[in-house]
Amino acid sequence: MDMLQDLESLQFEYGVPEEDRIWLYLQGRSRGLMIEACAHATFFCKLLYNLRASLNENQSSRHLSIGSLNSATPEEFKVGIIGGGHLGKQLAGTLLQLGPIPAESLRISTRRPETLGELQKLGIKCFYHNADLVSWADVIFLCCLPSQLPNICVEIYTSLEKTSIVYSFVAAIPLPRLKLLLNHTNILRPQYQYDEDSVSVWGANKGVVAALQDPTILQATCPYSPAGGIILNIKWLEGVFYAALNICTARNMAHSQVLQLLSELFLSVHFEDCGKDTASCPKFQLTDFVSKAYGKNLSQERPFPWFDLTAVQLKETPFSQHLSSSPVLQDHLTHLYCASFGISLTKEQPVISTGFPSQ
């Protein structure tokens, strides 16, 4: 196959008439969008997995400290995918190979589970029962067609727990509509913008997993990177952090402990030149996430309030202002993103676009 790789007659473009080649950029855009979608979903799952592992560890330590002989078993982090088409299959493969999700913690509900034989051989349970999947999973990825979504919402909305996180890839259904269909607020929906004048960096022959192991492609998927012509709306990143706060609130964890934990987990990856002086690195503060007026009335022992993630992604928040005004925080989150995929950055490798749209 390596001998045939560069033969012009075997390339996709070979059979496209000259007058139609102006549309070939759409192929690169589609591939780039698939890679970015899988990368951001995997990053999200990595963060949540690490957060839940830390919460479980803290819970176990508390049980042991009071002499409990029946300390809680660490909770399994369960991920469900609704839709077994191209996106659903690529996402499952990426989560399995690059994420922290073992096969037994990943399930897919699709109308044709018999077409997912390769994934089933890897140990992923595939079936067709959307409500059962939702009642089992902690995070549910919607990878279906827009025309299918209303019926799916009717099937699943009564099975959703308050803490269930719905992550929608259905771009045609806006957040307010999805919130209404599901009667649920714990929803994330990434939005992407396109720059037709940029040069594609997504390659042509690599699968999604292989592409995300390429440092150039991986850095192009960074939340602040404009490379490759596909730009993620940064409101998604805000939603990710407020989702993490909701997980801690569900455990009734004091907000002061939450801030310390999030700083340790998410701001602990440093550039080499700040490794010796971590005091200069950012730490999360209460007013990064809530207004000053609300923060004044929140005692140290009380948890954060429960946040409506749909509102977080549609409106200005305290974290919006903090994130946009802190290049140091942006640098650390970019570094965290790349490090989660095994790619190390230096200060000489800038990926941040200062002109990134906030909404």
Side-chain angles (χ1 to χ4, degrees), residues 10 32 45 110 112 121 123 146 162 206 224 279 298 310 319-320:
L10 294 181
C45 286
T110 176
R112 298 184 61 196
K121 289 178 183 178
K162 182 179 181 180
K206 294 179 180 178
Y224 286 98
L298 195 64
T310 64
F319 196 56
S320 305

Side-chain angles (χ1 to χ4, degrees), residues 195 198 220 222 224-231 351-353:
D195 180 5
S198 63
C222 285
Y224 286 98
S225 174
I230 300 175
I231 306 172
V351 295
I352 290 180
S353 167

Side-chain angles (χ1 to χ4, degrees), residues 190-206:
Q191 297 185 66
Y192 299 92
Q193 298 177 359
Y194 310 100
D195 180 5
E196 296 180 8
D197 297 327
S198 63
V199 177
S200 176
V201 300
W202 307 112
N205 300 315
K206 294 179 180 178

Side-chain angles (χ1 to χ4, degrees), residues 2-256:
D2 291 339
M3 295 173 60
L4 302 176
Q5 182 173 346
D6 296 323
L7 287 178
E8 182 181 356
S9 60
L10 294 181
Q11 303 304 309
F12 173 81
E13 296 85 354
Y14 183 77
V16 179
E18 191 66 34
E19 62 270 19
D20 292 335
R21 293 201 171 200
I22 59 172
W23 304 109
L24 287 175
Y25 75 93
L26 293 174
Q27 182 192 24
R29 176 189 293 184
S30 176
R31 175 174 167 76
L33 188 58
M34 176 71 69
I35 292 172
E36 290 225 2
C38 290
H40 298 149
T42 301
F43 174 67
F44 175 66
C45 286
K46 286 172 181 279
L47 291 192
L48 261 58
Y49 177 88
N50 290 335
L51 174 60
R52 288 171 61 98
S54 295
L55 291 172
N56 291 335
E57 183 179 344
N58 290 341
Q59 183 180 24
S60 297
S61 299
R62 289 199 303 272
H63 279 294
L64 291 173
S65 66
I66 61 175
S68 171
L69 299 178
N70 298 310
S71 59
T73 302
E75 294 180 19
E76 180 186 14
F77 180 55
K78 297 166 289 188
V79 175
I81 299 173
I82 294 181
H86 186 51
L87 175 57
K89 289 187 285 189
Q90 292 291 334
L91 176 61
T94 306
L95 290 173
L96 194 60
Q97 296 184 59
L98 298 183
I101 314 299
E104 59 270 19
S105 299
L106 181 59
R107 296 181 183 179
I108 302 176
S109 176
T110 176
R111 291 182 299 175
R112 298 184 61 196
E114 68 277 4
T115 64
L116 304 180
E118 291 300 318
L119 292 176
Q120 294 186 61
K121 289 178 183 178
L122 296 175
I124 298 175
K125 188 174 181 180
C126 304
F127 53 90
Y128 181 40
H129 203 301
N130 296 328
D132 281 357
L133 180 85
V134 166
S135 62
W136 170 83
D138 300 303
V139 176
I140 302 101
F141 288 100
L142 299 179
C143 302
C144 57
L145 296 173
S147 60
Q148 299 169 338
L149 189 59
N151 287 336
I152 289 174
C153 290
V154 170
E155 292 179 297
I156 70 175
Y157 82 95
T158 57
S159 300
L160 285 168
E161 299 287 344
K162 182 179 181 180
T163 55
S164 302
I165 300 176
V166 177
Y167 192 116
S168 175
F169 286 114
V170 188
I173 307 297
L175 273 171
R177 173 65 173 160
L178 191 55
K179 176 182 177 179
L180 184 64
L181 288 170
L182 290 173
N183 191 29
H184 195 64
T185 63
N186 224 25
I187 304 171
L188 282 174
R189 177 178 168 268
Q191 297 185 66
Y192 299 92
Q193 298 177 359
Y194 310 100
D195 180 5
E196 296 180 8
D197 297 327
S198 63
V199 177
S200 176
V201 300
W202 307 112
N205 300 315
K206 294 179 180 178
V208 172
V209 172
L212 290 175
Q213 293 172 318
D214 181 323
T216 300
I217 295 177
L218 190 279
Q219 289 181 47
T221 69
C222 285
Y224 286 98
S225 174
I230 300 175
I231 306 172
L232 172 68
N233 189 319
I234 213 62
K235 295 296 288 182
W236 170 84
L237 189 58
E238 295 177 37
V240 168
F241 278 92
Y242 280 100
L245 294 181
N246 280 348
I247 289 174
C248 296
T249 298
R251 304 284 188 105
N252 203 34
M253 188 176 186
H255 75 267
S256 55

Side-chain angles (χ1 to χ4, degrees), residues 224 271 280 282 321-335 347 352 354:
Y224 286 98
F271 291 101
S280 64
Q321 301 166 10
H322 179 55
L323 195 55
S324 63
S325 63
S326 177
V328 175
L329 177 58
Q330 295 172 13
D331 283 341
H332 277 73
L333 295 180
T334 297
H335 201 101
K347 288 279 189 175
I352 290 180
T354 56

